[in-house]
Amino acid sequence: MEASAAPSRDARRSMSSLPGGREEKSPPERKVYMDYNATTPLEPEVIQAMTEAMWEAWGNPSSPYPAGRKAKDIISAARANLAKMIGGEPQDIVFTSGGTESNNLVIHSVLRHFHKTHTSSGDASERHSPGERAVPHVVTSSVEHDSIRLPLEHLEEEQMAAVTFVPVSKVNGRAEVDDILAAVRPTTCLVTIMLANNETGVVMPIPELGQRVRALNQQRAAAGLPPILLHTDAAQALGKRRVDVADLAVDFLTIVGHKTEQDQEAQCSHSHVQGLRVKSSVLQRGPQLGRTENTPMIAGLGKAAELVTENCEAYEAHMRDVRDHLEGRLLAEFGNKVHLNSQFPGTERLPNTCNFSIRGPQLQGRLVLAQCRTLLASVGAACHSDHGDRPSPVLLSCGIPFDVARNALRLSVGRSTTRAEVDLVVQDLKQAVAWLEGQA
């Protein structure tokens, strides 16, 4: 439906006739990007750090020649910057090719560790026969990113793991700690809950969960049960709020650079470098997992971390101001027709995220976006782009009604987004909605 809607908008573009029957096209409209939760443009400082690494540090970091030593120094500095950003230790940082690899690495490493060290332990009811190995159990939430959800579903289908998907509260959009812990079994080896949701911006109660898992592990140790390891995917939170692993009390934390407004995945070899913070002997790291590091991308990620560490409070305050202005303008223009899907009473959310719907049978999110001339955004997470006009499963899980959820748009602002751009976007939305309603 999106493809058929766009040409009709193009047909309405004004043309001024000139002598001789020629037509003069209207000047190109200004575009405003508000999809920062998907990916972000590179900062100049990051481009410079990556470029210098390409010129000067092209060698294998494990090699003794100058270009290799330079690469090793850059990687060490980046690792230190990342550790400082999250309040961790440099030796706990492992570079990967992306957030998806980091999340999968945690899941599979923990399951291997369970089979290796707890073959004979666990609840006998989890086995099909006395001689069979115990099946490791994982607890996660119903609103996780596909890089968590899909591998867990596959492992469950293959009977390699048992998985509990804890629903989020329809009151506050969060996975509640009591519900998560209620799902724990004797064979539970991993709890993985995202730090902040990529569609609603809702921040999960990871610090409370971390403390309670630690206390639970003391009881499990006394009972001879395997410890529960805690992982959080912090992809959306980094660069938008302070993230401290000591406060979170997690064993694994996934760091994704291309969502922090400094590091992007499509540079150079079409691969990007992300980070995984590890505070556990479970992950078989070795010398950077036995691979040759991507020095330019690591250099960019290190510079990104440095900028976040220095400026996080200012970034957060600016984004919250612009996001709040956006929501105020939406309410002023659309009144009761607009529903703010990401606002839950008493729930903390990211300062940059606004998920909303404009009520109306012909105002599905994709149709509205197709009619926008200025706004560049999305209806939700890229990992759900194959859902067509079906509502986001995340919004439905949060209790958003079907007819409201199918109209959802996710606008996420960045450090460079201005109030003036917000005004342009709201006017653009107003015109798109008026045109769609006029076609009914």
Side-chain angles (χ1 to χ4, degrees):
M1 298 182 74
E2 178 178 357
S4 61
S8 61
R9 181 69 182 243
D10 293 339
R12 297 177 2 252
R13 293 186 175 178
S14 61
M15 308 282 277
S16 59
S17 297
L18 296 176
R22 292 184 296 111
E23 292 181 329
E24 181 183 12
K25 292 184 178 180
S26 299
E29 290 102 356
R30 179 178 178 181
K31 302 297 183 183
V32 178
Y33 182 74
M34 287 193 177
D35 204 17
Y36 283 83
N37 281 8
T39 196
T40 59
L42 286 161
E43 280 292 308
E45 297 95 325
V46 173
I47 295 175
Q48 181 179 355
M50 294 169 63
T51 302
E52 290 177 356
M54 291 178 197
W55 280 109
E56 302 172 9
W58 47 264
N60 187 319
S62 300
S63 301
Y65 42 77
R69 292 198 301 270
K70 178 69 172 177
K72 184 175 183 179
D73 291 342
I74 287 175
I75 291 170
S76 296
R79 182 172 277 112
N81 284 338
L82 281 166
K84 184 177 181 181
M85 178 179 66
I86 62 172
E89 298 296 332
Q91 64 268 22
D92 294 333
I93 302 296
V94 175
F95 293 112
T96 69
S97 66
T100 296
E101 182 189 349
S102 293
N103 289 341
N104 277 260
L105 182 61
V106 168
I107 292 169
H108 289 281
S109 293
V110 172
L111 295 189
R112 283 196 301 269
H113 180 74
F114 177 92
H115 284 307
K116 181 179 179 180
T117 59
H118 299 283
T119 301
S120 60
S121 66
D123 189 351
S125 65
E126 298 285 344
R127 310 178 197 177
H128 297 289
S129 64
E132 213 171 321
R133 294 197 306 178
V135 176
H137 177 242
V138 180
V139 180
T140 188
S141 81
S142 62
V143 297
E144 294 298 311
H145 189 271
D146 276 4
S147 60
I148 291 288
R149 180 181 64 84
L150 292 177
L152 288 178
E153 287 180 346
H154 175 74
L155 287 166
E156 191 167 41
E157 289 172 2
E158 298 295 320
Q159 299 184 342
M160 298 173 66
V163 184
T164 299
F165 292 90
V166 176
V168 296
S169 166
K170 290 179 169 55
V171 175
N172 57 32
R174 305 194 318 174
E176 298 285 32
V177 174
D178 286 342
D179 295 335
I180 296 168
L181 295 181
V184 167
R185 305 175 185 175
T187 51
T188 302
C189 58
L190 175 66
V191 171
T192 173
I193 306 289
M194 59 176 29
L195 183 52
N197 186 263
N198 47 315
E199 294 192 45
T200 64
V202 167
V203 176
M204 302 295 176
I206 302 302
E208 180 189 353
L209 178 61
Q211 294 300 327
R212 292 183 62 179
V213 167
R214 284 184 176 179
L216 179 59
N217 277 337
Q218 293 180 353
Q219 301 173 21
R220 289 171 67 90
L225 295 175
I228 298 169
L229 296 170
L230 180 59
H231 165 250
T232 189
D233 182 348
Q236 289 298 337
L238 287 162
K240 302 165 189 171
R241 68 191 299 274
R242 283 290 176 192
V243 175
D244 191 309
V245 292
D247 292 338
L248 298 176
V250 295
D251 299 288
F252 307 98
L253 182 140
T254 297
I255 302 165
V256 178
H258 72 101
K259 297 180 189 291
T260 64
E261 290 199 55
Q262 288 94 20
D263 194 12
Q264 189 167 352
E265 63 184 285
Q267 302 296 321
C268 297
S269 61
H270 199 67
S271 65
H272 57 290
V273 174
Q274 315 300 348
L276 177 65
R277 183 268 182 184
V278 178
K279 195 65 176 178
S280 170
S281 60
V282 170
L283 194 74
Q284 299 301 311
R285 287 173 285 175
Q288 187 52 48
L289 302 174
R291 70 175 54 153
T292 300
E293 297 95 323
N294 188 339
T295 304
M297 290 300 185
I298 292 175
L301 186 56
K303 176 56 71 172
E306 182 181 339
L307 293 174
V308 168
T309 301
E310 293 173 356
N311 304 295
C312 190
E313 284 78 11
Y315 296 166
E316 182 177 358
H318 173 78
M319 288 185 283
R320 178 173 286 107
D321 175 75
V322 174
R323 192 272 314 277
D324 289 349
H325 179 64
L326 168 63
E327 293 181 345
R329 293 286 290 115
L330 288 171
L331 291 170
E333 288 293 346
F334 297 104
N336 292 333
K337 286 181 61 176
V338 71
H339 184 271
L340 299 178
N341 303 322
S342 53
Q343 278 195 4
F344 295 90
T347 299
E348 181 186 0
R349 58 178 171 142
L350 295 177
N352 79 317
T353 305
C354 172
N355 193 308
F356 68 97
S357 299
I358 303 172
R359 293 184 176 93
Q362 66 275 27
L363 299 181
Q364 288 92 341
R366 294 181 186 277
L367 297 181
V368 174
L369 278 183
Q371 298 306 314
C372 287
R373 295 182 178 182
T374 300
L375 174 63
L376 301 175
S378 65
V379 297
C383 56
H384 296 148
S385 60
D386 61 344
H387 287 182
D389 288 325
R390 288 178 293 164
S392 159
V394 169
L395 295 183
L396 294 177
S397 296
C398 294
I400 305 299
F402 184 95
D403 60 337
V404 176
R406 69 176 182 173
N407 288 14
L409 295 171
R410 181 189 68 176
L411 305 192
S412 46
V413 304
R415 290 203 321 273
S416 60
T417 310
T418 66
R419 283 182 165 222
E421 288 177 327
V422 166
D423 295 339
L424 288 174
V425 163
V426 173
Q427 184 63 26
D428 191 32
L429 286 167
K430 184 179 180 181
Q431 293 175 354
V433 167
W435 187 84
L436 285 168
E437 290 180 330
Q439 302 304 301

